[in-house]
Amino acid sequence: MIVISRCPYRISLLGGGSDLDWFVKENQYGISLGYSLSKYTYTVINKLPETSKRGILNYSSREEYESTEDIAHPLIKAAIESVNIKNLLEISSFGFASRGSGLGGSSSFLNAILMGLNAINRKTIDAYEVASIASDIEINKLNKPIGRQDHFISAFGNISAFKFDNQNAEIKKFSLSKEKVSFIEKETKRLYLVPSFVSRSADKVLHKLKDSPRTKEDLIAIRTIAEKFLKLDENREHILQETFNSCINDSWIIKKRMSGVMTGVLNDQYKELNKLPLNWIRLLGAGSGGYFLISSKLDNKSTEEELKNLGMKGFFNASLSKTGVELIHFHE
């Protein structure tokens, strides 16, 4: 039996950081608005015959195993344990972004592999279940100091906003007006991702962030800014545009000064990118590396020409994926 599954990466727009589990527990709730990126993690899973002696795992490394307990990769091991598959497996993973990119790579990977493993187990699982299991694995089982927005935004696909409510132990989707969805979808067509070519451990950055005395106050402010846009009772495009841009700018001003977010190299790149006529610029993920997300005032062709003139490499349009985590092939 062979199954192929995939899950998009994610782009966080507003509220990021307020979804961190420790913040939600201490401050009642967190909020995030984002969308799934049209770049994906793919997993191919082959259920081996019962006579097989070893399973095979191919990701950035290769390993063979005789029992689940032997698996070195923590996410793969935890995922297999969560679905209780007895057969040995051959698993191969293919992804666009490396670890530390700020695009939610580990969450995309875990969502995709959980979807595939459940198909191997002949169980149908929806996006909410996938994201819930994946976030519980990373946060509660592997003790990562992260939030849940990455798992949920990438699993659901398209444009989505979530409220992470500690009081009711619920994760709910915000209802977005069709005008807001249409506006954000239009915006994504002119957004660009520019790699910093600096990778980092999100765990280290987030640990440092939690220990900073200003973090709680800053995250409450970031949450309030996200709510301002999400609760905006106005659907005229020019008002949406003005509010959206100001909210992202205001949120970035707060995040930029937070502990561990920007480094010397990133500041240099940031200054270069600001030579473009931009609506806004922000660094994705926990900080200290990854991708810059920019909203240009120019058309796409002119933006790309200007980025090339600045010597920027590896940039691409941050286009939207309409789909979330999904099974794309099943063969007995």
Side-chain angles (χ1 to χ4, degrees), residues 1 26 54 63 71 102-103 135-136 148 151 181-182 232 242 246 250 291:
M1 179 188 297
E26 293 178 11
R54 288 183 177 84
E63 60 173 300
I71 296 175
L103 299 176
S135 57
D136 279 341
R148 299 176 189 264
H151 310 87
V181 171
S182 177
L232 178 66
E242 180 183 338
S246 67
D250 292 346
Y291 282 82

Side-chain angles (χ1 to χ4, degrees), residues 6-270:
R6 76 173 189 177
C7 184
Y9 296 93
R10 68 93 185 95
I11 299 289
S12 176
L13 294 171
L14 289 169
S18 74
D19 66 305
L20 292 167
D21 241 40
W22 67 264
F23 177 84
V24 172
K25 289 175 182 176
E26 293 178 11
N27 300 280
Q28 299 183 338
Y29 68 97
I31 285 175
S32 68
L33 168 68
Y35 70 93
S36 57
L37 181 66
S38 57
K39 301 286 185 181
Y40 306 87
T41 297
Y42 291 84
T43 61
V44 182
I45 305 176
N46 179 24
K47 184 178 181 181
L48 296 173
E50 293 183 2
T51 55
S52 299
K53 301 297 183 184
R54 288 183 177 84
I56 303 169
L57 308 175
N58 293 297
Y59 43 99
S60 55
S61 298
R62 174 187 166 89
E63 60 173 300
E64 297 183 1
Y65 72 99
E66 294 182 3
S67 71
T68 305
E69 293 179 357
D70 300 331
I71 296 175
H73 195 295
L75 295 181
I76 296 177
K77 180 180 180 180
I80 293 174
E81 289 174 343
S82 74
V83 295
N84 194 31
I85 292 178
K86 302 301 182 183
N87 284 66
L88 293 169
L89 302 169
E90 182 178 7
I91 301 176
S92 293
S93 173
F94 310 90
F96 160 76
S98 61
R99 184 174 179 266
S101 66
L103 299 176
S106 67
S107 303
S108 170
F109 170 79
L110 190 51
N111 284 347
I113 200 168
L114 283 169
M115 177 63 79
L117 289 172
N118 276 279
I120 288 285
N121 239 9
R122 299 183 181 278
K123 180 181 177 183
T124 302
I125 186 170
D126 63 21
Y128 188 94
E129 289 178 284
V130 168
S132 297
I133 296 168
S135 57
D136 279 341
I137 284 174
E138 290 210 72
I139 294 169
N140 297 324
K141 187 166 186 176
L142 301 180
N143 297 313
K144 290 185 172 291
I146 62 174
R148 299 176 189 264
Q149 69 160 344
D150 293 1
H151 310 87
F152 278 83
I153 292 173
S154 62
F156 273 76
N158 216 321
I159 298 156
S160 52
F162 294 94
K163 181 177 182 180
F164 305 91
D165 190 343
N166 186 57
Q167 288 182 310
N168 300 314
E170 291 179 333
I171 298 171
K172 292 183 177 179
K173 285 192 76 174
F174 269 90
S175 178
L176 298 172
S177 68
K178 64 179 182 180
E179 290 86 1
K180 275 184 184 170
V181 171
S182 177
F183 162 74
I184 297 172
E185 184 175 345
K186 185 177 176 181
E187 283 295 295
T188 65
K189 295 177 181 177
R190 50 190 262 176
L191 300 182
Y192 278 82
L193 284 163
V194 184
S196 68
F197 297 107
V198 178
S199 62
R200 81 288 184 268
S201 166
D203 292 2
K204 290 181 180 178
V205 178
L206 292 171
H207 275 302
K208 187 175 182 181
L209 192 67
K210 183 179 179 181
D211 294 337
S212 175
R214 285 191 55 133
T215 296
K216 178 180 175 180
E217 177 185 340
D218 287 340
L219 291 180
I220 289 174
I222 285 172
R223 182 181 69 184
T224 300
I225 292 168
E227 287 181 296
K228 177 182 176 181
F229 178 74
L230 290 172
K231 294 181 178 180
L232 178 66
D233 189 20
E234 172 63 74
N235 287 313
R236 286 177 293 174
E237 186 167 342
H238 74 283
I239 299 295
L240 287 171
Q241 181 81 66
E242 180 183 338
T243 307
F244 182 71
N245 288 344
S246 67
C247 283
I248 290 189
N249 271 316
D250 292 346
S251 184
W252 170 241
I253 288 170
I254 296 169
K255 182 179 177 180
K256 186 172 179 285
R257 72 180 183 223
M258 293 174 78
S259 177
V261 171
M262 294 291 282
T263 64
V265 174
L266 293 174
N267 280 313
D268 292 340
Q269 294 171 330
Y270 181 78

